Each structure stands twice: as structure tokens, then as C-alpha cells.
Amino acid sequence: MVGGNTSVKSIPLDGKIDDRHHVSKEPKPFEDLPPEIQKILEDRREDSKIKKTTLRMMEGKYVMSILCYINQMAPVVKSDIYNNISRANNMATKIDDLEELGLIRIYRTAKTNTNVIVMTAKGKKVADLIMLMVNTIDRERPDLD
């Protein structure tokens, strides 16, 4: 131990950290954790409660592509987006964010367990603005001539 601090525990390289057989099945109660760990977990819990801003939702990877795709192809099935845009892990969250922003509407069908997505009027306006930006940039790009 450095400095004679006997309260510091080290992690053994060839054994268990504590006497639990299945750590995931026998989690330690929050109150039994060291105060510094409790603070870290509380801070993380607070961070997760912070509402994402509209800009943060819109600047994510594939968000503008998703909107433009739905605008051109609607109605689409959620799996169409995964097949044609990306299969990234957080695509479902991005789609849910777009619904939360009021840009798309998701209809969940009970019988076939299919998610059908359509644009809202607000979503169409936003997608049209994105396409206007893209077209404006593309018109002045010499490498596209």
C-alpha cells in the first residue's frame, strides 16, 4: 500500500473481488457503496434526466438522411430505414426523437407488429429545408459538374 493507507482495496488478479457468487444476480445495495461511487452514480442519473435539445437531436448522425428518406418514400416501414440508411445501434432512438419533435408519426400495427412511418406537415417543411440546403451547396460545388 502506498503511503501506509490500509483502507485502499486492490483488485486481485487471480481471485474474486468479494464473496458473491453471481455479481449480477447479487448486486450491492446503493447504500453499501463507497460515498465517492454513490456520488458518481448520482451525477450520472442527473445527467440522464437532462432533456436533449432540438439542435442536439437534429445534429446526430443520419438524422437528416432519415428525414429526407421518409419525405421522399413515405409511408415507410421502420425496417426500410434500417435497410436503406443504417443499422446503427441507436437508429431506433433517432427515429423516436424525430417523433418526439413532431416531424414524423409512427403507426404501430398490432396484427403484424410493423411500424409504419409518415411525415407530419412540420416534418415535410424541415425535410424540404434540408433539401434546399443540400441543393444550394451542390449547385456551387465544382466537383459535381
Side-chain angles (χ1 to χ4, degrees), residues 69 73 75-83 113-117:
Y69 178 79
M73 307 300 285
V76 300
V77 178
K78 198 182 259 190
S79 60
D80 291 339
I81 295 170
Y82 300 142
N83 291 333
N113 196 25
T114 303
N115 294 307
V116 179
I117 302 172

Side-chain angles (χ1 to χ4, degrees), residues 89-102:
N89 289 341
N90 58 353
M91 288 297 281
T93 302
K94 292 175 187 296
I95 293 168
D96 290 341
D97 287 349
L98 292 173
E99 183 177 39
E100 182 182 326
L101 292 171

Side-chain angles (χ1 to χ4, degrees), residues 52 62 106 133:
K52 291 189 276 185
Y62 301 117
I106 303 173
M133 289 185 327

Side-chain angles (χ1 to χ4, degrees), residues 96-130:
D96 290 341
D97 287 349
L98 292 173
E99 183 177 39
E100 182 182 326
L101 292 171
L103 303 177
I104 62 171
R105 178 80 176 103
I106 303 173
Y107 294 95
R108 293 162 177 88
T109 60
K111 200 168 197 172
T112 60
N113 196 25
T114 303
N115 294 307
V116 179
I117 302 172
V118 297
M119 296 294 288
T120 63
K122 179 166 59 169
K124 178 142 183 53
K125 286 180 189 177
V126 171
D128 288 344
L129 287 170
I130 292 168

